[in-house]
mmCIF file with all atom_site columns, all heavy atoms in Angstrom:
data_model
loop_
_atom_site.group_PDB
_atom_site.id
_atom_site.type_symbol
_atom_site.label_atom_id
_atom_site.label_alt_id
_atom_site.label_comp_id
_atom_site.label_asym_id
_atom_site.label_entity_id
_atom_site.label_seq_id
_atom_site.pdbx_PDB_ins_code
_atom_site.Cartn_x
_atom_site.Cartn_y
_atom_site.Cartn_z
_atom_site.occupancy
_atom_site.B_iso_or_equiv
_atom_site.pdbx_formal_charge
_atom_site.auth_seq_id
_atom_site.auth_comp_id
_atom_site.auth_asym_id
_atom_site.auth_atom_id
_atom_site.pdbx_PDB_model_num
ATOM 1   N N   . ARG A 1 262 ? 112.046 119.235 90.910 1.00 91.00 ? 262 ARG A N   1
ATOM 2   C CA  . ARG A 1 262 ? 112.895 119.937 90.033 1.00 91.00 ? 262 ARG A CA  1
ATOM 3   C C   . ARG A 1 262 ? 113.757 119.060 89.175 1.00 91.00 ? 262 ARG A C   1
ATOM 4   O O   . ARG A 1 262 ? 113.979 119.256 88.018 1.00 91.00 ? 262 ARG A O   1
ATOM 5   C CB  . ARG A 1 262 ? 113.748 120.963 90.792 1.00 91.00 ? 262 ARG A CB  1
ATOM 6   C CG  . ARG A 1 262 ? 113.034 122.101 91.476 1.00 91.00 ? 262 ARG A CG  1
ATOM 7   C CD  . ARG A 1 262 ? 112.432 123.094 90.486 1.00 91.00 ? 262 ARG A CD  1
ATOM 8   N NE  . ARG A 1 262 ? 111.839 124.125 91.198 1.00 91.00 ? 262 ARG A NE  1
ATOM 9   C CZ  . ARG A 1 262 ? 111.220 125.212 90.568 1.00 91.00 ? 262 ARG A CZ  1
ATOM 10  N NH1 . ARG A 1 262 ? 111.183 125.196 89.199 1.00 91.00 ? 262 ARG A NH1 1
ATOM 11  N NH2 . ARG A 1 262 ? 110.707 126.153 91.205 1.00 91.00 ? 262 ARG A NH2 1
ATOM 12  N N   . ALA A 1 263 ? 114.348 117.956 89.826 1.00 92.00 ? 263 ALA A N   1
ATOM 13  C CA  . ALA A 1 263 ? 115.246 117.060 89.095 1.00 92.00 ? 263 ALA A CA  1
ATOM 14  C C   . ALA A 1 263 ? 114.509 116.437 88.025 1.00 92.00 ? 263 ALA A C   1
ATOM 15  O O   . ALA A 1 263 ? 114.957 116.212 86.854 1.00 92.00 ? 263 ALA A O   1
ATOM 16  C CB  . ALA A 1 263 ? 115.993 116.232 90.018 1.00 92.00 ? 263 ALA A CB  1
ATOM 17  N N   . LYS A 1 264 ? 113.434 115.794 88.377 1.00 94.00 ? 264 LYS A N   1
ATOM 18  C CA  . LYS A 1 264 ? 112.653 115.122 87.410 1.00 94.00 ? 264 LYS A CA  1
ATOM 19  C C   . LYS A 1 264 ? 112.264 115.860 86.184 1.00 94.00 ? 264 LYS A C   1
ATOM 20  O O   . LYS A 1 264 ? 112.307 115.572 84.982 1.00 94.00 ? 264 LYS A O   1
ATOM 21  C CB  . LYS A 1 264 ? 111.332 114.537 88.018 1.00 94.00 ? 264 LYS A CB  1
ATOM 22  C CG  . LYS A 1 264 ? 110.474 113.615 87.042 1.00 94.00 ? 264 LYS A CG  1
ATOM 23  C CD  . LYS A 1 264 ? 109.276 113.111 87.667 1.00 94.00 ? 264 LYS A CD  1
ATOM 24  C CE  . LYS A 1 264 ? 108.441 112.259 86.652 1.00 94.00 ? 264 LYS A CE  1
ATOM 25  N NZ  . LYS A 1 264 ? 107.217 111.702 87.311 1.00 94.00 ? 264 LYS A NZ  1
ATOM 26  N N   . LYS A 1 265 ? 111.806 117.186 86.646 1.00 95.00 ? 265 LYS A N   1
ATOM 27  C CA  . LYS A 1 265 ? 111.419 118.128 85.612 1.00 95.00 ? 265 LYS A CA  1
ATOM 28  C C   . LYS A 1 265 ? 112.447 118.403 84.616 1.00 95.00 ? 265 LYS A C   1
ATOM 29  O O   . LYS A 1 265 ? 112.326 118.539 83.370 1.00 95.00 ? 265 LYS A O   1
ATOM 30  C CB  . LYS A 1 265 ? 110.857 119.449 86.247 1.00 95.00 ? 265 LYS A CB  1
ATOM 31  C CG  . LYS A 1 265 ? 110.283 120.461 85.353 1.00 95.00 ? 265 LYS A CG  1
ATOM 32  C CD  . LYS A 1 265 ? 109.787 121.719 86.138 1.00 95.00 ? 265 LYS A CD  1
ATOM 33  C CE  . LYS A 1 265 ? 108.482 121.346 86.925 1.00 95.00 ? 265 LYS A CE  1
ATOM 34  N NZ  . LYS A 1 265 ? 107.877 122.638 87.480 1.00 95.00 ? 265 LYS A NZ  1
ATOM 35  N N   . GLY A 1 266 ? 113.673 118.664 85.083 1.00 95.00 ? 266 GLY A N   1
ATOM 36  C CA  . GLY A 1 266 ? 114.812 119.039 84.239 1.00 95.00 ? 266 GLY A CA  1
ATOM 37  C C   . GLY A 1 266 ? 115.549 117.850 83.452 1.00 95.00 ? 266 GLY A C   1
ATOM 38  O O   . GLY A 1 266 ? 115.618 117.944 82.283 1.00 95.00 ? 266 GLY A O   1
ATOM 39  N N   . ILE A 1 267 ? 115.745 116.883 84.200 1.00 96.00 ? 267 ILE A N   1
ATOM 40  C CA  . ILE A 1 267 ? 116.446 115.713 83.583 1.00 96.00 ? 267 ILE A CA  1
ATOM 41  C C   . ILE A 1 267 ? 115.559 114.716 82.784 1.00 96.00 ? 267 ILE A C   1
ATOM 42  O O   . ILE A 1 267 ? 115.895 114.476 81.658 1.00 96.00 ? 267 ILE A O   1
ATOM 43  C CB  . ILE A 1 267 ? 117.255 114.947 84.769 1.00 96.00 ? 267 ILE A CB  1
ATOM 44  C CG1 . ILE A 1 267 ? 118.196 115.898 85.415 1.00 96.00 ? 267 ILE A CG1 1
ATOM 45  C CG2 . ILE A 1 267 ? 118.016 113.672 84.172 1.00 96.00 ? 267 ILE A CG2 1
ATOM 46  C CD1 . ILE A 1 267 ? 118.887 115.259 86.663 1.00 96.00 ? 267 ILE A CD1 1
ATOM 47  N N   . PHE A 1 268 ? 114.582 114.364 83.468 1.00 96.00 ? 268 PHE A N   1
ATOM 48  C CA  . PHE A 1 268 ? 113.568 113.324 82.690 1.00 96.00 ? 268 PHE A CA  1
ATOM 49  C C   . PHE A 1 268 ? 112.533 113.950 81.877 1.00 96.00 ? 268 PHE A C   1
ATOM 50  O O   . PHE A 1 268 ? 112.365 113.365 80.759 1.00 96.00 ? 268 PHE A O   1
ATOM 51  C CB  . PHE A 1 268 ? 112.952 112.613 83.954 1.00 96.00 ? 268 PHE A CB  1
ATOM 52  C CG  . PHE A 1 268 ? 112.200 111.222 83.408 1.00 96.00 ? 268 PHE A CG  1
ATOM 53  C CD1 . PHE A 1 268 ? 112.953 110.159 83.061 1.00 96.00 ? 268 PHE A CD1 1
ATOM 54  C CD2 . PHE A 1 268 ? 110.737 111.154 83.413 1.00 96.00 ? 268 PHE A CD2 1
ATOM 55  C CE1 . PHE A 1 268 ? 112.249 109.040 82.625 1.00 96.00 ? 268 PHE A CE1 1
ATOM 56  C CE2 . PHE A 1 268 ? 110.218 110.073 83.030 1.00 96.00 ? 268 PHE A CE2 1
ATOM 57  C CZ  . PHE A 1 268 ? 110.991 108.993 82.531 1.00 96.00 ? 268 PHE A CZ  1
ATOM 58  N N   . GLU A 1 269 ? 112.043 115.045 82.149 1.00 96.00 ? 269 GLU A N   1
ATOM 59  C CA  . GLU A 1 269 ? 111.032 115.734 81.362 1.00 96.00 ? 269 GLU A CA  1
ATOM 60  C C   . GLU A 1 269 ? 111.553 116.743 80.389 1.00 96.00 ? 269 GLU A C   1
ATOM 61  O O   . GLU A 1 269 ? 110.798 117.219 79.463 1.00 96.00 ? 269 GLU A O   1
ATOM 62  C CB  . GLU A 1 269 ? 109.930 116.358 82.150 1.00 96.00 ? 269 GLU A CB  1
ATOM 63  C CG  . GLU A 1 269 ? 109.169 115.277 83.019 1.00 96.00 ? 269 GLU A CG  1
ATOM 64  C CD  . GLU A 1 269 ? 108.245 115.914 84.164 1.00 96.00 ? 269 GLU A CD  1
ATOM 65  O OE1 . GLU A 1 269 ? 108.216 117.147 84.127 1.00 96.00 ? 269 GLU A OE1 1
ATOM 66  O OE2 . GLU A 1 269 ? 107.537 115.149 84.792 1.00 96.00 ? 269 GLU A OE2 1
ATOM 67  N N   . GLY A 1 270 ? 112.813 117.210 80.533 1.00 96.00 ? 270 GLY A N   1
ATOM 68  C CA  . GLY A 1 270 ? 113.415 118.081 79.565 1.00 96.00 ? 270 GLY A CA  1
ATOM 69  C C   . GLY A 1 270 ? 113.046 119.542 79.731 1.00 96.00 ? 270 GLY A C   1
ATOM 70  O O   . GLY A 1 270 ? 113.099 120.280 78.732 1.00 96.00 ? 270 GLY A O   1
ATOM 71  N N   . ASP A 1 271 ? 112.700 120.061 80.869 1.00 96.00 ? 271 ASP A N   1
ATOM 72  C CA  . ASP A 1 271 ? 112.266 121.388 81.147 1.00 96.00 ? 271 ASP A CA  1
ATOM 73  C C   . ASP A 1 271 ? 113.625 122.126 81.513 1.00 96.00 ? 271 ASP A C   1
ATOM 74  O O   . ASP A 1 271 ? 114.004 122.120 82.635 1.00 96.00 ? 271 ASP A O   1
ATOM 75  C CB  . ASP A 1 271 ? 111.246 121.561 82.128 1.00 96.00 ? 271 ASP A CB  1
ATOM 76  C CG  . ASP A 1 271 ? 110.801 123.036 82.462 1.00 96.00 ? 271 ASP A CG  1
ATOM 77  O OD1 . ASP A 1 271 ? 111.544 123.962 82.082 1.00 96.00 ? 271 ASP A OD1 1
ATOM 78  O OD2 . ASP A 1 271 ? 109.657 123.206 82.995 1.00 96.00 ? 271 ASP A OD2 1
ATOM 79  N N   . LEU A 1 272 ? 114.241 122.760 80.452 1.00 97.00 ? 272 LEU A N   1
ATOM 80  C CA  . LEU A 1 272 ? 115.485 123.351 80.658 1.00 97.00 ? 272 LEU A CA  1
ATOM 81  C C   . LEU A 1 272 ? 115.468 124.703 81.350 1.00 97.00 ? 272 LEU A C   1
ATOM 82  O O   . LEU A 1 272 ? 116.479 125.236 81.684 1.00 97.00 ? 272 LEU A O   1
ATOM 83  C CB  . LEU A 1 272 ? 116.183 123.520 79.303 1.00 97.00 ? 272 LEU A CB  1
ATOM 84  C CG  . LEU A 1 272 ? 116.356 122.176 78.495 1.00 97.00 ? 272 LEU A CG  1
ATOM 85  C CD1 . LEU A 1 272 ? 117.154 122.548 77.165 1.00 97.00 ? 272 LEU A CD1 1
ATOM 86  C CD2 . LEU A 1 272 ? 117.076 121.116 79.179 1.00 97.00 ? 272 LEU A CD2 1
ATOM 87  N N   . ILE A 1 273 ? 114.186 125.304 81.625 1.00 96.00 ? 273 ILE A N   1
ATOM 88  C CA  . ILE A 1 273 ? 114.109 126.652 82.200 1.00 96.00 ? 273 ILE A CA  1
ATOM 89  C C   . ILE A 1 273 ? 113.767 126.407 83.664 1.00 96.00 ? 273 ILE A C   1
ATOM 90  O O   . ILE A 1 273 ? 114.421 126.909 84.520 1.00 96.00 ? 273 ILE A O   1
ATOM 91  C CB  . ILE A 1 273 ? 112.919 127.358 81.563 1.00 96.00 ? 273 ILE A CB  1
ATOM 92  C CG1 . ILE A 1 273 ? 113.260 127.592 80.034 1.00 96.00 ? 273 ILE A CG1 1
ATOM 93  C CG2 . ILE A 1 273 ? 112.670 128.705 82.372 1.00 96.00 ? 273 ILE A CG2 1
ATOM 94  C CD1 . ILE A 1 273 ? 112.184 128.286 79.332 1.00 96.00 ? 273 ILE A CD1 1
ATOM 95  N N   . GLU A 1 274 ? 112.848 125.606 84.090 1.00 94.00 ? 274 GLU A N   1
ATOM 96  C CA  . GLU A 1 274 ? 112.356 125.443 85.486 1.00 94.00 ? 274 GLU A CA  1
ATOM 97  C C   . GLU A 1 274 ? 113.037 124.174 86.138 1.00 94.00 ? 274 GLU A C   1
ATOM 98  O O   . GLU A 1 274 ? 112.990 124.019 87.360 1.00 94.00 ? 274 GLU A O   1
ATOM 99  C CB  . GLU A 1 274 ? 110.924 125.236 85.631 1.00 94.00 ? 274 GLU A CB  1
ATOM 100 C CG  . GLU A 1 274 ? 110.163 126.624 85.238 1.00 94.00 ? 274 GLU A CG  1
ATOM 101 C CD  . GLU A 1 274 ? 110.461 127.691 86.248 1.00 94.00 ? 274 GLU A CD  1
ATOM 102 O OE1 . GLU A 1 274 ? 110.593 127.375 87.432 1.00 94.00 ? 274 GLU A OE1 1
ATOM 103 O OE2 . GLU A 1 274 ? 110.445 128.860 85.919 1.00 94.00 ? 274 GLU A OE2 1
ATOM 104 N N   . GLY A 1 275 ? 113.659 123.255 85.411 1.00 95.00 ? 275 GLY A N   1
ATOM 105 C CA  . GLY A 1 275 ? 114.166 122.129 85.881 1.00 95.00 ? 275 GLY A CA  1
ATOM 106 C C   . GLY A 1 275 ? 115.589 122.296 86.480 1.00 95.00 ? 275 GLY A C   1
ATOM 107 O O   . GLY A 1 275 ? 116.367 123.191 86.288 1.00 95.00 ? 275 GLY A O   1
ATOM 108 N N   . GLU A 1 276 ? 115.810 121.357 87.344 1.00 94.00 ? 276 GLU A N   1
ATOM 109 C CA  . GLU A 1 276 ? 117.216 121.214 88.089 1.00 94.00 ? 276 GLU A CA  1
ATOM 110 C C   . GLU A 1 276 ? 118.016 120.302 87.205 1.00 94.00 ? 276 GLU A C   1
ATOM 111 O O   . GLU A 1 276 ? 117.786 119.100 86.980 1.00 94.00 ? 276 GLU A O   1
ATOM 112 C CB  . GLU A 1 276 ? 117.020 120.518 89.463 1.00 94.00 ? 276 GLU A CB  1
ATOM 113 C CG  . GLU A 1 276 ? 118.211 120.486 90.333 1.00 94.00 ? 276 GLU A CG  1
ATOM 114 C CD  . GLU A 1 276 ? 117.938 119.865 91.712 1.00 94.00 ? 276 GLU A CD  1
ATOM 115 O OE1 . GLU A 1 276 ? 116.739 119.814 92.111 1.00 94.00 ? 276 GLU A OE1 1
ATOM 116 O OE2 . GLU A 1 276 ? 118.904 119.489 92.272 1.00 94.00 ? 276 GLU A OE2 1
#
Side-chain angles (χ1 to χ4, degrees):
R262 295 286 184 181
K264 181 180 181 182
K265 184 177 289 188
I267 300 170
F268 192 68
E269 297 175 356
D271 186 337
L272 304 181
I273 297 173
E274 290 295 327
E276 184 181 343

